[in-house]
């Protein structure tokens, strides 16, 4: 009997089947935990996913709206993006916040670390709370067509609970901050 934390999968062979500057896809021939042969595909991310929940002194936050190609739909999200592996996630968070909203923050707190789609990918996400906000000029990337809206945090929370916001990073950030507010940890 395997200990629950030991890897029950045996890799027979592996083949890289796709690679670009953001992701790589490897197909593995495996012996699965029940002892049978099978395949497994793994998406390797070349960036750490970064989320930033900006919160001003009046308890307003900022959401970024954009059309998401993989979903074929519009999405409201906190400012988010990626930071190259091996670089400072906090520096990446500062860059993303400025690029997408034009905001700089005087105070940064790590809110949450989580793995996204861990059944098929190794993508790690780090979410930060940004406070003491000052407005500068936004610098969006050429692939981004963004709409920024400043709303009360409670409205963002309602958007999560009514299903208007479905982005996993945003949902986790807003629910985590809501718990912190309820437990007087802010």
């Amino acid at each position: 009997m395997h200990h629950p934390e030991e890897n029950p999968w045996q890799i027979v062979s592996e083949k890289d089947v796709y690679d670009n500057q953001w992701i790589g896809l490897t197909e593995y021939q495996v012996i699965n935990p029940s002892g049978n042969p099978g395949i497994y595909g793994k998406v390797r991310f070349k960036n750490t996913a970064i989320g930033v929940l900006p919160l001003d002194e009046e308890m307003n936050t900022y959401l970024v709206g954009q059309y998401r190609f993989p979903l074929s739909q519009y999405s409201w999200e906190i400012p988010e993006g990626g930071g190259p592996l091996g670089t400072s996630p906090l520096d990446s968070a500062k860059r993303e916040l400025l690029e997408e909203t034009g905001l700089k923050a005087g105070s940064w707190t790590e809110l949450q670390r989580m793995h996204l789609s861990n059944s098929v990918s190794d993508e790690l996400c780090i979410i930060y709370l940004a406070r003491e906000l000052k407005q500068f000029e936004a610098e969006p990337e050429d692939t981004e067509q963004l709409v920024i809206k400043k709303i009360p945090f409670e409205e963002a929370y309602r958007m999560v609970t009514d299903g208007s916001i479905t982005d996993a990073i945003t949902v986790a950030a807003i629910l985590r901050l809501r718990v912190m507010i309820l437990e007087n940890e802010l």
Side-chain angles (χ1 to χ4, degrees), residues 25-62:
L25 174 62
T26 303
E27 181 180 280
Y28 295 90
Q29 298 298 319
V30 298
I31 303 299
N32 67 28
S34 64
N36 296 314
I39 65 168
Y40 212 110
K42 176 182 171 182
V43 179
R44 295 176 326 281
F45 279 78
K46 298 180 181 178
N47 290 291
T48 300
I50 300 294
V52 180
L53 180 52
L55 190 67
D56 71 15
E57 299 307 312
E58 291 80 42
M59 298 296 284
N60 294 304
T61 192
Y62 294 75

Side-chain angles (χ1 to χ4, degrees), residues 15 20 52 58 66 74 87 93 98 106 111-112 124 154 162-163:
K15 175 177 68 172
N20 68 27
V52 180
E58 291 80 42
Q66 63 182 309
Y74 203 79
T87 64
L98 181 62
L111 281 183
Q112 191 76 45
L124 171 67
E154 286 301 312
D162 74 12

Side-chain angles (χ1 to χ4, degrees), residues 7 22 40 42 68 101 109 138 168 170:
N7 183 358
W22 301 281
Y40 212 110
K42 176 182 171 182
R68 286 296 191 179
T101 67
T109 306
T170 303

Side-chain angles (χ1 to χ4, degrees), residues 140-170:
E141 294 178 15
D142 62 1
T143 60
E144 297 174 320
Q145 191 174 36
L146 308 178
V147 174
I148 311 301
K149 70 177 177 179
K150 176 181 174 180
I151 62 172
F153 175 76
E154 286 301 312
E155 184 179 333
Y157 173 70
R158 280 192 298 281
M159 290 175 72
V160 167
T161 60
D162 74 12
S164 301
I165 292 176
T166 60
D167 172 68
I169 297 170
T170 303

Side-chain angles (χ1 to χ4, degrees), residues 67-138:
Y67 191 87
R68 286 296 191 179
F69 181 87
L71 302 177
S72 297
Q73 69 183 45
Y74 203 79
S75 179
W76 285 104
E77 307 163 4
I78 61 173
E80 55 189 54
L85 298 177
T87 64
S88 163
L90 181 56
D91 287 346
S92 297
K94 291 175 180 179
R95 177 184 41 75
E96 285 296 334
L97 181 64
L98 181 62
E99 277 180 10
E100 294 191 359
T101 67
L103 294 170
K104 290 185 181 181
S107 170
W108 291 86
T109 306
E110 185 177 314
L111 281 183
Q112 191 76 45
R113 285 181 182 234
M114 56 191 219
H115 289 100
L116 306 175
S117 297
N118 65 3
S119 64
V120 295
S121 86
D122 63 0
E123 188 174 24
L124 171 67
C125 174
I126 303 174
I127 304 170
Y128 293 93
L129 174 64
R131 305 286 317 261
E132 300 172 21
L133 305 175
K134 289 190 171 56
Q135 187 69 57
F136 294 86
E137 193 68 34

